[in-house]
Amino acid sequence: MQKILITGGTGFIGSHTAVELIAAGYECLILDNFVNSHPAVVNRIAQITGKTPLVIEGDVCDAVGLDTLFATHTISAVIHFAGLKAVGESVREPLRYYANNVNGTMTLLLAMMKANVKTIVFSSSATVYGEPDSSPIPESAPYRAASPYGRSKAMVESMLTDLTLSDPAWRVALLRYFNPVGAHPSGTMGEDPTGTPNNLMPFVCQVASGRLPMLSIFGHDYATADGTGERDYIHVMDLSEGHLAALRYLARDDAAPLLIANLGTSRSHSVLDVVTTFSRVNDLPIPYQFVARRPGDVSAYWADASYAEHTLGWKATRSLEDMCRDSWNWQKQNPQGYRN
Ligand code: NAD
Ligand code: UD1
């Protein structure tokens, strides 16, 4: 049985991916410092899969801890989710972001190199494209990240690209996620943001539950069909399956050393689409008001995800209805997230 190291494996996307991997017969070792997650997620993974993953509380910036980990466990590949991800916070605390996201990845790669583990799937983001010239966005679009967070992702992408050029034994997948939402269909696991959510779907869920009084829709004068911003929302279960597909691809004899793939649906939905779909499928009112645009927001963008389909044989299959239903199912069963 292959053992996969999942850094950040108790976070939103990491926990769902751990479930997919366990179901596919992999053994998972999670490394997380719980800076943005709750240890209770481990029991939820066990509840769903019937298997408790190994969990090490530790930091990807801790070189000694990583050396010990690789000396103790035979790891086949790493999926590297660990990172900080709040755009606004990254503007206020850029060094914290570069230290955690860039230096953390460098420390991890040095430890992997020492241990001769040379396969890694990296969580990148559509944020590396910034404001693109047009949508759908192909992987060849230029780097135009507009925040320290986005630039930390672009820097890591460059670092990993250089590594594959220096040593062809490396197998690297850079996965650029669009807007991950949704939850495990059982309602056992989901997104659990701390404080008031910044992102749309968790905010809508908290309005639906009565925890927040009303959604503010940022801007209704964009050049989109209904004037509100459009994004490529992707179900977290589709995203998790994308990681499994990438891992399988990198294990192939004919795998290229470097794979760069958008993970999205190739479709966009407006803020009003999300609100009306959420209301309809869950039979709940979502009070909202239109307010000014949020600084830094792009009007509309979505993925060209055809390369992932062609190379990985992976395609997102879940609809906006599924995303809204599963998000609410999680929220309603866990009104306080994992802190219940
Ligand atoms: P998350 O915050 O839920 O998960 C990240 C996990 O990493 C958390 O459990 C956190 O405790 C852990 N972590 C952070 N720094 C660490 C460190 N130094 N050492 C060990 N553990 C550490 O975020 P997520 O939404 O699951 O995102 C996972 C990855 O995907 C991140 O790298 C993020 O930047 C990237 N990403 C996320 C989105 C999104 O919208 N959620 C979009 C694009 C890319
Ligand atoms: C943000 C991040 C991006 C990250 C992504 C994760 C920025 C600039 N970008 O993208 O790096 O990968 O989250 O999913 O922060 N909206 C409202 N009201 C709200 C919240 C959001 O109207 O209360 C609107 C936004 O204006 C946008 C859409 O909903 O049009 C989606 O917003 P959000 O979920 O925050 O994601 P992004 O801004 O696309």
Side-chain angles (χ1 to χ4, degrees):
M1 193 189 268
Q2 287 191 50
K3 198 185 275 185
I4 310 297
L5 171 63
I6 309 183
T7 75
T10 56
F12 173 43
I13 307 168
S15 56
H16 289 78
T17 303
V19 163
E20 277 304 304
L21 259 55
I22 293 168
Y26 291 91
E27 191 177 351
C28 292
L29 169 61
I30 289 174
L31 174 72
D32 205 302
N33 65 0
F34 300 110
V35 67
N36 198 37
S37 60
H38 198 280
V41 78
V42 181
N43 294 333
R44 306 295 181 93
I45 296 173
Q47 242 173 283
I48 296 171
T49 62
K51 292 204 176 108
T52 307
L54 292 168
V55 180
I56 296 176
E57 182 169 359
D59 200 302
V60 289
C61 299
D62 173 9
V64 175
L66 286 171
D67 286 345
T68 308
L69 184 155
F70 283 109
T72 315
H73 300 273
T74 305
I75 302 293
S76 308
V78 178
I79 307 185
H80 181 34
F81 292 104
L84 300 172
K85 62 166 184 175
V87 174
E89 189 181 66
S90 80
V91 175
R92 292 189 299 277
E93 301 176 70
L95 292 182
R96 189 166 157 238
Y97 272 68
Y98 291 123
N100 198 73
N101 294 4
V102 181
N103 192 42
T105 306
M106 192 147 67
T107 310
L108 172 66
L109 293 172
L110 286 167
M112 287 175 67
M113 197 145 77
K114 265 199 231 172
N116 203 29
V117 177
K118 293 187 173 174
T119 301
I120 182 167
V121 177
F122 174 63
S123 296
S124 191
S125 168
T127 199
V128 299
Y129 299 121
E131 176 134 31
D133 292 326
S134 60
S135 281
I137 311 176
E139 287 83 358
S140 56
Y143 282 136
R144 230 176 252 164
S147 69
Y149 166 66
R151 283 188 282 274
S152 77
K153 291 292 178 191
M155 284 178 193
V156 171
E157 286 203 0
S158 300
M159 194 155 76
L160 283 161
T161 303
D162 288 343
L163 207 49
T164 59
L165 294 172
S166 74
D167 174 359
W170 280 89
R171 291 288 176 274
V172 172
L174 307 178
L175 303 182
R176 295 176 178 162
Y177 316 153
F178 279 67
N179 284 57
V181 296
H184 192 270
S186 64
T188 311
M189 290 193 331
E191 189 171 6
D192 182 20
T194 32
T196 306
N198 292 312
N199 296 121
L200 180 63
M201 189 64 90
F203 202 105
V204 167
C205 283
Q206 294 199 11
V207 172
S209 71
R211 225 166 125 182
L212 293 168
M214 177 172 316
L215 170 72
S216 290
I217 297 184
F218 300 138
H220 64 133
D221 55 351
Y222 285 112
T224 56
D226 64 24
T228 65
E230 289 182 13
R231 296 289 183 273
D232 186 340
Y233 297 98
I234 174 167
H235 198 296
V236 67
M237 298 305 297
D238 278 325
L239 202 56
S240 300
E241 289 168 9
H243 288 75
L244 187 60
L247 212 50
R248 287 181 171 147
Y249 169 82
L250 294 179
R252 273 167 37 182
D253 288 339
D254 63 344
L258 179 67
L259 171 103
I260 305 177
N262 286 335
L263 295 188
T265 64
S266 303
R267 285 191 309 269
S268 75
H269 291 289
S270 72
V271 179
L272 279 175
D273 285 339
V274 173
V275 171
T276 52
T277 306
F278 191 100
S279 284
R280 178 168 50 79
V281 301
N282 297 315
D283 197 18
L284 283 166
I286 304 293
Y288 64 83
Q289 58 180 344
F290 292 115
V291 300
R293 293 181 180 192
R294 183 170 62 178
D297 269 358
V298 172
S299 65
Y301 65 85
W302 62 95
D304 174 347
S306 57
Y307 184 71
E309 184 175 359
H310 172 72
T311 322
L312 303 178
W314 168 91
K315 194 178 188 307
T317 59
R318 293 161 179 88
S319 65
L320 183 61
E321 279 80 1
D322 297 326
M323 301 180 213
C324 291
R325 194 180 304 109
D326 292 340
S327 295
W328 174 240
N329 192 26
W330 150 253
Q331 173 76 34
K332 122 181 123 182
Q333 290 184 45
N334 304 272
Q336 305 299 325
Y338 292 111
R339 285 151 195 86
N340 279 345

